[in-house]
Amino acid sequence: MKRLLKIKLLLLCVPAILVAQQPKNSGTAMQWWNEAKFGMFVHWGLYSVAAGDWKGKPSRGNEHFMLYERIPLKEYAAIADDFHPVKFDADAWAKAAKDAGMKYLVFTTKHHDGYAMYGSKVSDYNIVGTTRWARDPLKELAAACKKYNLKLGLYYSLGRDWEDPDVPTNWPEKGGRSNTWDYPDEDAKDFSKYFERKVKPQITELLTGYGPVAVMWFDTPEQIISKAQSADLEVLIRKLQPGCIINSRIGNGLGDYLVSEQQISAAKMSKPWEACITMSGKWSYNRHDNAWKSPELMVRQLVEIVSKGGNLLLNVSPDGEGALLDKTKERMNEIGKWMKVNHEAIYGTRPWLITNENSVAEDLGKAGEIALKSTMKDTDNDNTSKQINPDVYFTTKANTVYVFARSWKAADINVKSLAADRYKIKKVSLLGTSAKIKWKQTEKALHMDLPASLPATVPVYVFKIIL
């Protein structure tokens, strides 16, 4: 009888095990993401109020400065007394994303400092309960995303929480990213207590209180979280929001897509992937940050990522008052102008047979996936190229090949990959102009002349080649 009972209990567990082992949302949920290509990442929290300073001098670590400066929790929490973001405008954030051509928005609901940027009932350590502003920005942002038809994604720091006494870390060494000044006994910390007490209840809040959530974007799983815990969390998410996709930082090889932080894969990827990249040098607002990328560079990065099968999640950093910086808005406006002209070469496209005629890495297969696993830095970790040189990239859709002439200055262009001995071309046009394009196809290349009048955007021009 006991043996029969054990078998019945085991069978009851099988559905949950199967759900945890499924590779997840490969159907409709992933379809929108695969077509979207472009999203906005938002880093905003108590660290935005500090703005790169602590006790009258520049701090180390930016959004990680509580760790780098070893600030006691009581002192760090007091920043909330000055957190009064009267310029926060969820509608303006969402509209800026929409106008820039972005299709989804990922908001930091809890970063490594453990501070919830929404009205959490699980933890009093949140923006509603600790500030005189006392509003829930996530509720307003969810409504704004719905208004502008943007998918809502939620960032959640999984393996680091400097407010909680039960979060050990093991990178780059034991206790290397833990709060050891408030909670010095690393061996006494029990991740499972934190996981059950805070992580699962807060994920439940986020997935039941703010309408449809399209993406759960986890960060820093470390190696502390077990495979069973990652699977348990995945099952919870699928149960609460079946259409929600999950990034690979849920840990232990689970999740729907890979993450490349501050770097672009060296090659086309065989798996869905996303590059999260900063618009400036820092992830969060820092008054000392002057490493701003130009609109041209960011468009180049978008093209390269999409041509390799990825999405670009471009980070913005509102200030402590909740406002998008003028430098941010100016750049998003220029990107939006380019996207308005060339969006068909981005949305819903896939990599062509050739990524870039000048790339030696275009056929490396899984080499790019290996590159994404390289050692990650905490902050100031932008490893993307800042070079701006003329080159050619490709995407494709149906019987069309899009040829991106990035930062092109010459009056003509030769595309060897579209030579007459390979393809028969029906029509050639340049997106953004009605001017007739002079072209001819030889056994060596497709030769095209650029028209005298070019689209008034950043100089990344897109030829539409119908085969």
Side-chain angles (χ1 to χ4, degrees):
M1 189 67 180
K2 287 183 178 179
R3 185 171 180 270
L4 182 60
L5 181 59
K6 286 181 179 179
I7 292 172
K8 286 181 178 179
L9 288 172
L10 180 62
L11 289 173
L12 286 172
C13 293
V14 168
I17 294 170
L18 290 176
V19 170
Q21 291 178 343
Q22 289 172 357
K24 340 314 171 215
N25 283 314
S26 56
T28 306
M30 282 301 292
Q31 183 177 345
W32 76 260
W33 188 88
N34 287 327
E35 294 179 354
K37 304 301 181 186
F38 194 22
M40 184 165 85
F41 209 179
V42 182
H43 273 70
W44 190 50
L46 291 180
Y47 41 80
S48 306
V49 180
D53 288 333
W54 183 246
K55 293 187 175 179
K57 63 179 183 179
S59 61
R60 299 171 295 157
N62 209 50
E63 71 278 3
H64 300 248
F65 81 99
M66 180 184 177
L67 169 72
Y68 278 70
E69 299 291 346
R70 300 179 71 82
I71 302 169
L73 178 60
K74 186 175 180 180
E75 286 186 45
Y76 186 84
I79 298 172
D81 296 340
D82 297 319
F83 198 6
H84 192 53
V86 292
K87 294 182 181 178
F88 170 75
D89 185 343
D91 192 275
W93 286 16
K95 187 176 186 301
K98 181 75 171 181
D99 290 347
M102 295 163 167
K103 294 290 188 179
Y104 59 109
L105 186 153
V106 178
F107 176 69
T108 44
T109 64
K110 179 185 80 83
H111 208 267
H112 309 330
D113 58 6
Y115 189 76
M117 289 295 291
Y118 70 98
S120 176
K121 292 180 174 58
V122 172
S123 169
D124 294 335
Y125 194 50
N126 69 76
I127 189 170
V128 177
T130 64
T131 70
R132 56 196 170 101
W133 191 60
R135 281 162 51 186
D136 187 336
L138 184 53
K139 280 194 178 296
E140 297 175 37
L141 197 56
C145 284
K146 183 177 180 180
K147 174 181 175 180
Y148 289 101
N149 196 29
L150 294 169
K151 299 285 188 180
L152 176 64
L154 304 179
Y155 167 107
Y156 189 90
S157 177
L158 181 55
R160 300 181 196 173
D161 190 315
W162 301 323
E163 181 263 346
D164 196 284
D166 276 309
V167 188
T169 62
N170 58 1
W171 184 83
E173 58 201 12
K174 181 179 178 179
R177 293 298 179 266
S178 301
N179 181 347
T180 54
W181 50 98
D182 287 306
Y183 313 117
D185 191 348
E186 192 74 1
D187 291 328
K189 297 174 183 178
D190 186 343
F191 182 86
S192 63
K193 291 181 180 178
Y194 156 72
F195 185 74
E196 296 295 333
R197 181 182 63 247
K198 190 170 185 179
V199 174
K200 288 170 65 178
Q202 285 196 327
I203 296 302
T204 299
E205 286 182 327
L206 291 169
L207 296 180
T208 55
Y210 298 92
V213 175
V215 182
M216 273 307 308
W217 208 105
F218 291 108
D219 201 5
T220 60
E222 308 291 349
Q223 295 173 9
I224 298 296
I225 188 169
S226 69
K227 187 163 187 176
Q229 288 167 331
S230 293
D232 187 19
L233 190 55
E234 185 180 58
V235 170
L236 175 65
I237 295 166
R238 306 292 185 210
K239 177 183 176 182
L240 297 176
Q241 297 252 9
C244 183
I245 63 176
I246 307 166
N247 75 350
S248 58
R249 291 185 177 179
I250 194 172
N252 293 290
L254 300 178
D256 299 306
Y257 67 91
L258 301 172
V259 175
S260 171
E261 181 171 332
Q262 294 281 53
Q263 60 181 327
I264 298 174
S265 171
K268 289 183 285 190
M269 298 278 282
S270 61
K271 297 179 181 178
W273 69 285
E274 174 186 74
C276 54
I277 295 175
T278 52
M279 186 175 286
S280 58
K282 312 286 187 183
W283 285 104
S284 66
Y285 173 59
N286 186 314
R287 61 173 55 91
H288 309 293
D289 182 7
N290 293 309
W292 287 86
K293 296 180 177 72
S294 68
E296 181 178 355
L297 179 58
M298 288 184 282
V299 168
R300 286 175 60 91
Q301 292 181 339
L302 173 63
V303 169
E304 181 178 357
I305 290 163
V306 173
S307 75
K308 294 175 179 177
N311 286 17
L312 170 59
L313 187 62
L314 183 62
N315 184 73
V316 303
S317 46
D319 65 20
E321 292 186 306
L324 292 176
L325 305 181
D326 287 342
K327 289 181 178 180
T328 297
K329 291 186 287 187
E330 289 164 5
R331 283 158 174 76
M332 291 181 72
N333 185 52
E334 289 302 310
I335 293 170
K337 288 179 182 178
W338 186 88
M339 285 293 289
K340 189 173 182 180
V341 171
N342 300 294
H343 58 86
E344 72 169 84
I346 298 293
Y347 303 141
T349 60
R350 64 183 188 278
W352 194 43
L353 295 173
I354 305 297
T355 303
N356 174 342
E357 288 191 343
N358 301 318
S359 173
V360 297
E362 64 191 23
D363 294 316
L364 290 180
K366 293 189 177 181
E369 295 173 26
I370 295 171
L372 300 190
K373 297 176 184 177
S374 60
T375 303
M376 184 178 65
K377 298 177 183 177
D378 253 346
T379 185
D380 296 333
N381 58 351
D382 187 355
N383 294 303
T384 59
S385 172
K386 309 304 181 296
Q387 296 296 315
I388 295 182
N389 298 311
D391 55 23
V392 176
Y393 276 79
F394 305 92
T395 62
T396 186
K397 185 191 300 179
N399 66 331
T400 299
V401 175
Y402 296 98
V403 178
F404 296 83
R406 300 195 313 170
S407 307
W408 207 258
K409 296 179 173 61
D412 61 354
I413 180 172
N414 291 295
V415 183
K416 297 176 183 178
S417 302
L418 287 166
D421 63 340
R422 298 186 183 185
Y423 299 99
K424 184 178 180 181
I425 294 175
K426 182 179 179 180
K427 184 179 180 181
V428 174
S429 59
L430 180 67
L431 298 185
T433 178
S434 58
K436 187 176 180 179
I437 303 301
K438 293 181 181 179
W439 63 278
K440 66 179 179 180
Q441 201 178 15
T442 69
E443 295 300 315
K444 292 185 177 181
L446 167 64
H447 178 86
M448 299 178 289
D449 290 338
L450 271 71
S453 179
L454 292 166
T457 64
V458 298
V460 176
Y461 308 114
V462 185
F463 290 91
K464 181 178 181 178
I465 314 298
I466 299 178
L467 304 180

